[in-house]
Amino acid sequence: MAEETISAVITALGEGAVGIVRVSGPQALAVGERLFKAASGRPLADYPVNTLVYGHVYDCDGSLVDEVLAVYMRGPRSYTAEDVVEIQCHGGLQSLQKILALTYAAGARPAEPGEFTKRAFLNGRIDLTQAEAVMDIIRSRSETGLKLAARQQQGQLARALRELRRNLLDVVVNLEAVIDYPEEDIEDVTYGRVQESIGACSARIAKLLANAHTGKILREGLRTAIVGRPNVGKSSLLNALLQEDRAIVSQYAGTTRDVIEEQLLLDGVPLVLADTAGIRSTEDFVEKIGVEKSRRLLQEAELIVCVIDGSEGLTEEDESILRAAAGKPCVIIVNKSDLALQVDLEALRRRFGGDRVMTLSAKTLSGVEDFSVWLKNYVYGSEGTLGDGAYVQNARQENLLRRALQSLEDAGRAVADALPYDCIEIDVRTAIDLLGEITGDTVQDEIINEIFSRFCIGK
């Protein structure tokens, strides 16, 4: 693959001021020279690298295609760490497609999805966490998500993982020294010291896992279901959060019969909000379909917002919904706080936790700010803001970390049971390899291909 020269449009297709075609590979300069002619008449190779050169692109028959700027970047000082030529033309679809076709005629082939970034990884310019962060930057849903993705792209997570691997490799080296030279008196390698090293690494992995949901939420959004029986104020709460009349609100039960889904950025936290039909027994065919959708969302949502009418006592329908939410990530909103309270708040707080039960008035907006603060604390932790440490940003990384932690826990038990050193070494090496899969140091080719297949063409 690296022997081939590839090209693609790397800007969004459609009408725009500027569009860019990138060519990367050993023949990038030759391809660029065949279709680009500098206004000065000098070849592109005569200009200093990384310099924009004004000129034109011509068709094979010599006819003018577009007025452009071209730049030659010599590897390894380029995005892919290969020779790269980029042509900046007018951002019209026809111009871009024509210039792209000319790169093919000059010897390049179409780039596969994510192939530019894949080459950057294979050529050692970035690791796998940095490559994944590229798409996180593109897909960021909030300024905070962008900030975190940029930190990952700079290698923050990779540095933390490599330090962990180095510490674990020190454990392996010392264990092997004892195994290979049992007659030597090596004081540093004792069960106690090995247990201490493994415990310290396990604690650091556990901390990364504790923050894993933060990275996932900032990357994908928090799927949140607003549930409750009819007429408790679910749609009013949705409208209050969106600050617009998105859902129909009326005094009649069963107004909302289908799921209304909206995306919202609440104090930097991206939410995918689903206002559900009121959950109750009903003979109405259409409403029954909506209720079934609500029950499914209650099971699948990453956060459940249970809304209760505070001006009434808890009904059996309320209790049924609360039982379904128990044990899941949830917050209980006692709505209509502008009216006389008829719900036992202390009983609810003993049941669900003091910080997970709050009063709110969707009508007057009193308490909406408190919910925003709670939500930030739920996403970021007690500080309510993005910390300086490394964060896990996807399910692949989280799964590998959990498996690595399990291996270290197995090693810790082996130490506690005073098992032979080689038994401990096997588990520690497994953890090292799993951490290496996250950064790409030990990952298999098929996994690499799967990761980059999710990228867009041109990236």
Side-chain angles (χ1 to χ4, degrees), residues 16 181 225 324:
Y181 304 102

Coordinates of all heavy atoms in Angstrom, one line a residue, residues 16 181 225 324:
G16 N -18.3 26.1 -2.3 CA -17.6 26.8 -1.3 C -16.5 27.7 -1.9 O -16.2 27.6 -3.1
Y181 N 18.0 -16.2 37.0 CA 19.2 -16.3 37.9 C 18.8 -16.5 39.4 O 18.9 -15.6 40.2 CB 20.0 -15.0 37.8 CG 20.5 -14.7 36.3 CD1 19.8 -13.8 35.6 CD2 21.5 -15.4 35.7 CE1 20.1 -13.5 34.3 CE2 21.9 -15.2 34.4 CZ 21.2 -14.2 33.7 OH 21.5 -14.0 32.4
A225 N -33.4 9.9 28.5 CA -34.9 9.7 28.3 C -35.6 10.4 29.4 O -35.3 10.2 30.6 CB -35.2 8.2 28.3
A324 N -38.7 0.6 37.7 CA -38.0 0.3 36.5 C -36.7 1.1 36.4 O -35.8 0.6 35.8 CB -38.9 0.6 35.3

